[in-house]
Amino acid sequence: MIAIRQSRLLFFLIVLVCCMSNYSTSAQSFTVYDSMPQLESRIENAKDTTLVINFWATWCKPCIEELPCFEELRERYAGQNVLVILVSLDFKSQLEKKFIPFLKERQFKSEVALLADQDANTWIPKISAEWDGAIPATVIIKGQQRKFNLGKFENYTELESFVRPFLADVSALKDMSEYPCLTGK
Amino acid sequence: MKKAFFPPLLLAGVLLLFGSTTSPCGYAIGDRADDFSLKSVSTKMVSLADYKDVRGYILIFTCNHCPYAQLYEQRIIDLHNKYSPKGFPVVAINPNSPLIVEEDSFEEMQIRAAAQKYPFDYLFDEEQTVYPKFGATRTPHVFLLDRDLYIRYIGAIDDNPETPRSAKNRWVEKAVEAMLKGEKPNPDYTRAVGCTVKKKPEVKPAPVPVQKADTVPMVGGQRP
């Protein structure tokens, strides 16, 4: 209970300080970014971390299917300065009805956020000039380097080989081409 | 030449080839589109050339299942009702493979078109040969063509998927109005969130060479 109270206090402090909303739903916390600049400062603060940012939504079936692969990636590279952020494009109006119940069910270990910036025409090209807004979409950011992928990764190997060029020290590629992202291992 | 087989280069090559599942290509503003012949929900084959006395076409890649397409459904009907009398009919095309999403099958298209009383042609890109030419990547995705099939606008219908009344920019309407006055649409390219086009499964090599050739990439199988 104390932890919950503290997190609530923290919640109000954060709202006051930076106008972003942090939510905590029984062990699954997430941040709501009302505008792209807020997400951009999150990206800038990551500095030399390799960010793997996946854009998804609860209504997007292929997105849901590939989420377990991002969880696998997070687990495997947790010690290698890799940060996975699952950025949902769900409507903020359906936060309580759809988004929070989905998070409660899945209990993601990766960082979860909701981007509620309605001006998609302006923010989409800030992620990648190649992107026109279809999801799923994934971008890897490390300092000034970026790499973009449109569409779903069919299996874990496909995702890992997409990320590997950004990793300085990698062990042998885990062959999980039979791992179709749909379920657990 | 032997250097091409140097493992890191090979890996780089493979990544270049398969690193991105889809790459944005297709028509740009000012390109002339090829006509097509696709089956309508009425089972009739439809080409753009079949439309007589038009000033252009509001070509929209859309589908049954996508929540964004559903949010825009009434606005697509309204666009047709408003601009078809002025020479700009809506031509809707479902680019999705029902092997990926059953709800986007031809039969389901017929059911939806009848239930929603679509006043426009709703066509099925069954062979998935038309949407790649246009470079459509999502649903809904609009391509505004003039009567000679030159592309004049590519992008979104407006800037507010959830609440039509709150849209600040009704891009397609603005673009059609510009064309009716003989002007160039401005902007002529916009982006929006949407569902990816669902491409039918294909057998492709594993993204990274693995020990033996007996590793078959997962295709189909557990898809919905």
Side-chain angles (χ1 to χ4, degrees), chain B residues 55 83 86-88 173 175-183:
Chain B
R55 301 180 69 176
Y83 290 111
K86 295 180 180 176
F88 278 86
E173 288 198 24
V176 175
E177 295 291 349
M179 287 177 70
L180 285 168
K181 283 187 244 165
E183 293 165 7

Side-chain angles (χ1 to χ4, degrees), chain A residues 78-142:
Chain A
Q80 292 198 41
N81 210 13
V82 173
L83 178 65
V84 175
I85 309 181
L86 307 175
V87 178
S88 163
L89 302 179
D90 276 77
F91 292 122
K92 207 178 168 184
S93 61
Q94 294 181 350
L95 201 70
E96 301 289 339
K97 206 175 132 201
K98 282 196 172 167
F99 189 65
I100 292 174
F102 184 81
L103 294 189
K104 276 185 179 162
E105 186 197 319
R106 295 298 181 106
Q107 298 291 337
F108 295 111
K109 288 187 178 144
S110 304
E111 186 171 321
V112 176
L114 188 142
L115 177 63
D117 192 331
Q118 285 291 305
D119 190 6
N121 186 44
T122 305
W123 69 254
I124 288 168
K126 287 184 181 170
I127 293 297
S128 169
E130 292 170 54
W131 191 24
D132 61 18
I135 56 170
T138 303
V139 66
I140 303 178
I141 303 173
K142 189 181 186 182

Side-chain angles (χ1 to χ4, degrees), chain B residues 62-82:
Chain B
T62 187
C63 67
N64 295 342
H65 91 279
C66 173
Y68 269 74
Q70 290 167 9
L71 281 169
Y72 275 106
E73 188 175 45
Q74 187 56 48
R75 276 171 272 187
I76 294 171
I77 293 170
D78 293 345
L79 274 174
H80 180 82
N81 289 338
K82 185 171 179 184

Side-chain angles (χ1 to χ4, degrees), chain A residues 57 59-62 65 89-94 118-125 128-137 147-155 157-159 161-162 164-165 173 175 177-180 182-183, chain B residues 11 15 18-24 65-68 71 100-101 135-138 141 159-162 171 187 189-198 204 206-210 214-224:
Chain A
W59 49 259
C60 166
K61 210 185 258 181
E65 287 170 0
L89 302 179
D90 276 77
F91 292 122
K92 207 178 168 184
S93 61
Q94 294 181 350
Q118 285 291 305
D119 190 6
N121 186 44
T122 305
W123 69 254
I124 288 168
S128 169
E130 292 170 54
W131 191 24
D132 61 18
I135 56 170
K147 194 174 164 193
F148 175 77
N149 182 74
L150 176 66
K152 176 188 158 191
F153 293 99
E154 290 299 338
N155 53 56
T157 305
E158 212 175 286
L159 171 62
S161 40
F162 180 69
R164 280 175 74 86
L173 181 71
D175 176 23
S177 52
E178 300 289 336
Y179 181 73
L182 292 175
T183 52
Chain B
L11 180 69
L15 285 172
F18 302 109
S20 171
T21 50
T22 320
S23 59
H65 91 279
C66 173
Y68 269 74
L71 281 169
I100 308 291
V101 189
T137 58
R138 62 169 194 270
H141 204 163
D159 63 1
N160 198 316
E162 209 180 4
W171 287 307
Y189 186 87
T190 60
R191 300 168 208 246
V193 175
C195 308
T196 40
V197 171
K198 305 296 184 285
K204 59 181 179 181
V208 162
V210 281
D214 59 2
T215 312
V216 180
M218 216 299 292
V219 172
Q222 295 191 52
R223 262 184 245 279

Side-chain angles (χ1 to χ4, degrees), chain B residues 3-224:
Chain B
K3 270 190 176 175
F5 294 97
F6 192 59
L9 278 179
L10 184 64
L11 180 69
V14 169
L15 285 172
L16 266 178
L17 279 173
F18 302 109
S20 171
T21 50
T22 320
S23 59
C25 49
Y27 298 133
I29 302 300
D31 286 353
R32 190 177 192 176
D34 288 335
D35 201 351
F36 46 75
S37 180
L38 295 174
K39 191 160 76 174
S40 153
V41 286
S42 69
T43 71
K44 193 178 72 176
M45 297 304 286
V46 171
S47 295
L48 294 177
D50 296 335
Y51 291 81
K52 303 297 173 198
D53 302 319
V54 292
R55 301 180 69 176
Y57 308 84
I58 306 173
L59 195 68
I60 307 180
F61 291 91
T62 187
C63 67
N64 295 342
H65 91 279
C66 173
Y68 269 74
Q70 290 167 9
L71 281 169
Y72 275 106
E73 188 175 45
Q74 187 56 48
R75 276 171 272 187
I76 294 171
I77 293 170
D78 293 345
L79 274 174
H80 180 82
N81 289 338
K82 185 171 179 184
Y83 290 111
S84 181
K86 295 180 180 176
F88 278 86
V90 163
V91 181
I93 301 176
N94 168 23
N96 289 345
S97 167
L99 293 174
I100 308 291
V101 189
E102 275 177 48
E103 216 182 318
D104 288 335
S105 70
F106 185 70
E107 292 70 30
E108 292 291 332
M109 286 172 63
Q110 289 178 309
I111 292 166
R112 190 163 195 106
Q116 308 294 323
K117 297 189 176 67
Y118 283 180
F120 46 79
D121 282 316
Y122 189 23
L123 314 178
F124 187 30
D125 187 9
E126 192 169 9
E127 301 297 321
Q128 300 198 302
T129 51
V130 175
Y131 89 77
K133 275 184 159 182
F134 278 84
T137 58
R138 62 169 194 270
T139 51
H141 204 163
V142 181
F143 294 78
L144 195 55
L145 278 61
D146 68 18
R147 79 178 83 200
D148 298 317
L149 311 190
Y150 286 97
I151 312 275
R152 298 301 179 200
Y153 171 84
I154 300 174
I157 292 169
D158 61 38
D159 63 1
N160 198 316
E162 209 180 4
T163 324
R165 276 175 299 134
S166 306
K168 290 189 200 99
N169 295 289
R170 294 183 173 85
W171 287 307
V172 168
E173 288 198 24
K174 204 179 156 203
V176 175
E177 295 291 349
M179 287 177 70
L180 285 168
K181 283 187 244 165
E183 293 165 7
K184 279 187 178 176
N186 180 30
D188 58 13
Y189 186 87
T190 60
R191 300 168 208 246
V193 175
C195 308
T196 40
V197 171
K198 305 296 184 285
K199 201 176 169 197
K200 67 184 153 207
E202 57 179 309
V203 178
K204 59 181 179 181
V208 162
V210 281
Q211 288 172 344
K212 283 181 181 176
D214 59 2
T215 312
V216 180
M218 216 299 292
V219 172
Q222 295 191 52
R223 262 184 245 279

